[in-house]
Amino acid sequence: MKLIKGISAAAALLCSTAVFAEDIEVLHYYTSGGESLAVNVLKEDLEAKGNKWIDSAIAGGGGANAMTVLKTRVISGDAPKAVQMRGPAIQDWAEQGALVDLEAVSQNWDEELPPAIADALKYDDKYYGVVNWVHRVNWMYINKPLLDEVGAQVPTTWDEFFVVADKLKAAGHIPIAHGGTPYHDAVYFEGIVQSQGVDFYRKAILEGDPEALNSPQMVEVFDILRKSTEYFDGATQGRPWNLAAAMVIEGKAGFLFMGDWAKGEFSAAGKVPDVDYICAVRPGNEGIFTFIADGFTFFGQRGSDGATPGQLEMASVISSPDFQERGAKFKGAIPAMKSASLDGFDSCSQKAAADLLATSESGGLVPSQNQGTTEAVLGAIRDVVTNFINSNQDSASAAAELANAVQAAK
C-alpha cells in the first residue's frame, strides 16, 4: 500500500512538473567566452526547474543587433518570452504594453537594490525587468608584466596615462588595445567624459544638455580622444572588443578600456588579478561608478493573462542569491542583490562592490550611456565619435556636431 501511495505521489509530482514546465525562448547577446559561461549558469538553473531553454543568441553591436531582431519579432506577433534588455528600452516597451510586470516575485527588490538600479528596472512604479548582475563600465585593464617592465605605476590622470603609454610605445609594445567598432569607440569616449566630473557627465550625456555638449570641456574630451588614437595599433578596424581584450591577456598590449565583462575573458584564460593583470578605475574617474544593470524583461504571450509561470520562475531564479553569485563570477560582474555573498570574488570585484555602495551614497553612481540613454541618442553619440576617430576632424567641430546630433536624436 505504501508503495502504491509512493508511486501515486511521484506520478502526481511528474504531472505537476509537466503542467508548469515551459519552453522559454531567450533572446540575448551573451556570445563571448565569459558571457557564454555566465548565461549557461542561468540555462542550467532554469532547466533544473523543468523548463526548456530555447536559445536565440544574437552577436554584435553591444546589443543593437539583438534589439533590431526583437522589433521585427514583436511586429510580426512572435515576441520571445524572455529578452536581455537594459535602460530606457525597458520603460519604452512597458509603456507600449508589450511587457508583463514582475510584481508576483519582486516584493523585496526595493530593499535588495540600490535606488539608481531599481529605478532602471521599473515603469509606473512596477518592476518590468530583473537584474542579473551589475557591471562597472569605467574600468581599465593593464597587463601587469608590461607595466612592471617599463617601471610604471597605475595612472590616475590622463597626463599620467600618456607618460606610461609613451614608455610602453618606446619599449615596442602597443599601449592601448582597442576594438575599432562604434561600440568600443563610445565606451572609450565615455570614460574621458567622466574624467571631467560626474556632474558634467550627467549633464552632457545623460541629459543631453546642448551647452555642456558644445563646451570647452567637451572640446578637451575630444582632444584627449585624439591623442589616445596615437597609441592604438594599425589594425583596429572592425576588431571586436573581446579580441582587443585578448591582446592584453597575451601581453601584446598594455591597456584595455572596457567594462568589467572583459574580466570574464581574463578569467576564462586563467589569468589572475594583481598577478597577471591589474583592474583599475580609469583616469580621473575615482569616486564615479558607471553601471550597466544587465537583466531580462518578459514579453506578453498570446493566450496568457500576465506573466507565465515559466517567466516568473526565470525572474525568481535570476534574483536568487545563488545565481547572482555564480553568474556574476563568470561574467566578471558583481551581484546586484545585497543578500548575495561576495565570498570567493576576486580583488577587482571586491573593489567594485565597495565602490558601488560608496557611490550610491555619494551621488557618484550613474548609469552608463548604454544604460541611461535612448537607442537614438546612443547611436548619435557613436556616429560622431567613430567619425572623429577615423578622420582628421578638429575637436571644436566635433563637439558642435555632437551637440547637434544629440539634440536631433532626442
Side-chain angles (χ1 to χ4, degrees):
M1 190 61 129
K2 288 183 179 179
L3 179 61
I4 293 173
K5 287 182 179 179
I7 293 172
S8 299
L13 180 60
L14 287 172
C15 290
S16 174
T17 302
V19 168
F20 290 103
E22 290 182 20
D23 288 354
I24 302 178
E25 183 186 2
V26 184
L27 180 67
H28 66 93
Y29 44 96
Y30 294 131
T31 56
S32 74
E35 292 174 335
S36 296
L37 291 171
V39 79
N40 194 57
V41 173
L42 178 57
K43 176 184 176 182
E44 290 175 351
D45 285 0
L46 190 62
E47 292 192 334
K49 301 285 188 181
N51 302 290
K52 184 178 180 182
W53 178 288
I54 308 298
D55 198 65
S56 292
I58 310 294
N65 296 346
M67 293 303 99
T68 299
V69 170
L70 174 64
K71 289 175 184 177
T72 302
R73 293 282 302 274
V74 173
I75 290 171
S76 66
D78 183 33
K81 280 189 178 178
V83 179
Q84 182 189 352
M85 192 178 293
R86 67 171 75 110
I90 294 176
Q91 287 74 39
D92 290 345
W93 284 112
E95 186 176 20
Q96 294 176 45
L99 303 182
V100 293
D101 70 64
L102 303 176
E103 291 297 284
V105 294
S106 63
Q107 294 90 343
N108 68 329
W109 291 1
D110 279 351
E111 291 74 41
E112 286 277 1
L113 298 169
I117 293 174
D119 289 346
L121 303 169
K122 290 181 178 180
Y123 172 74
D124 199 20
D125 207 32
K126 291 182 179 180
Y127 282 95
Y128 284 86
V130 58
V131 58
N132 305 335
W133 39 64
V134 176
H135 280 299
R136 185 176 199 167
V137 182
N138 56 335
W139 273 134
M140 64 180 176
Y141 296 87
I142 311 166
N143 183 288
K144 189 176 186 300
L146 294 188
L147 191 70
D148 292 343
E149 179 188 327
V150 298
Q153 300 296 314
V154 176
T156 60
T157 68
W158 283 108
D159 286 342
E160 291 176 2
F161 171 78
F162 290 128
V163 170
V164 178
D166 282 331
K167 290 181 178 180
L168 288 167
K169 197 170 186 178
H173 305 300
I174 299 167
I176 302 173
H178 188 70
T181 63
Y183 166 71
H184 200 165
D185 292 342
V187 169
Y188 190 95
F189 170 79
E190 177 181 276
I192 306 175
V193 177
Q194 289 151 7
S195 70
Q196 302 294 314
V198 68
D199 291 337
F200 177 74
Y201 167 74
R202 187 180 284 111
K203 199 170 235 355
I205 302 301
L206 300 181
E207 299 174 10
D209 179 74
E211 290 187 14
L213 288 165
N214 190 13
S215 67
Q217 277 180 286
M218 189 59 75
V219 172
E220 183 179 347
V221 167
F222 279 103
D223 284 343
I224 294 170
L225 180 59
R226 175 64 70 214
K227 187 172 180 60
S228 297
T229 63
E230 299 173 12
Y231 301 95
F232 296 172
D233 68 316
T236 61
Q237 197 65 35
R239 177 190 289 150
W241 70 263
N242 55 308
L243 294 187
M247 294 169 64
V248 176
I249 291 170
E250 296 166 7
K252 296 176 180 177
F255 286 81
L256 172 74
F257 290 79
M258 184 53 65
D260 60 10
W261 49 92
K263 188 161 67 72
E265 303 299 304
F266 285 81
S267 298
K271 300 301 180 181
V272 179
D274 303 320
V275 176
D276 302 303
Y277 70 97
I278 298 168
C279 47
V281 180
R282 298 186 191 185
N285 276 227
E286 196 61 52
I288 302 173
F289 189 118
T290 47
F291 72 86
I292 287 177
D294 263 353
F296 282 94
T297 56
F298 302 89
F299 278 72
Q301 302 293 301
R302 291 177 181 174
S304 179
D305 183 18
T308 68
Q311 288 175 321
L312 291 175
E313 194 159 48
M314 182 171 172
S316 182
V317 166
I318 290 170
S319 64
S320 69
D322 181 63
F323 169 74
Q324 292 268 316
E325 294 160 19
R326 292 185 298 123
K329 284 178 181 176
F330 279 120
K331 192 64 167 61
I334 56 175
M337 301 292 178
K338 294 176 183 176
S339 58
S341 171
L342 290 171
D343 290 346
F345 280 80
D346 62 32
S347 58
C348 298
S349 296
Q350 296 283 353
K351 175 168 173 51
D355 287 352
L356 174 65
L357 293 177
T359 56
S360 180
E361 295 176 0
S362 69
L365 178 62
V366 287
S368 165
Q369 60 189 347
N370 292 49
Q371 175 95 46
T373 62
T374 64
E375 284 187 56
V377 168
L378 181 59
I381 293 170
R382 288 179 176 178
D383 287 347
V384 172
V385 171
T386 293
N387 178 68
F388 177 81
I389 288 175
N390 294 290
S391 71
N392 294 317
Q393 185 178 19
D394 66 276
S395 297
S397 67
E401 183 181 343
L402 182 63
N404 291 333
V406 169
Q407 288 306 300
K410 287 178 70 175

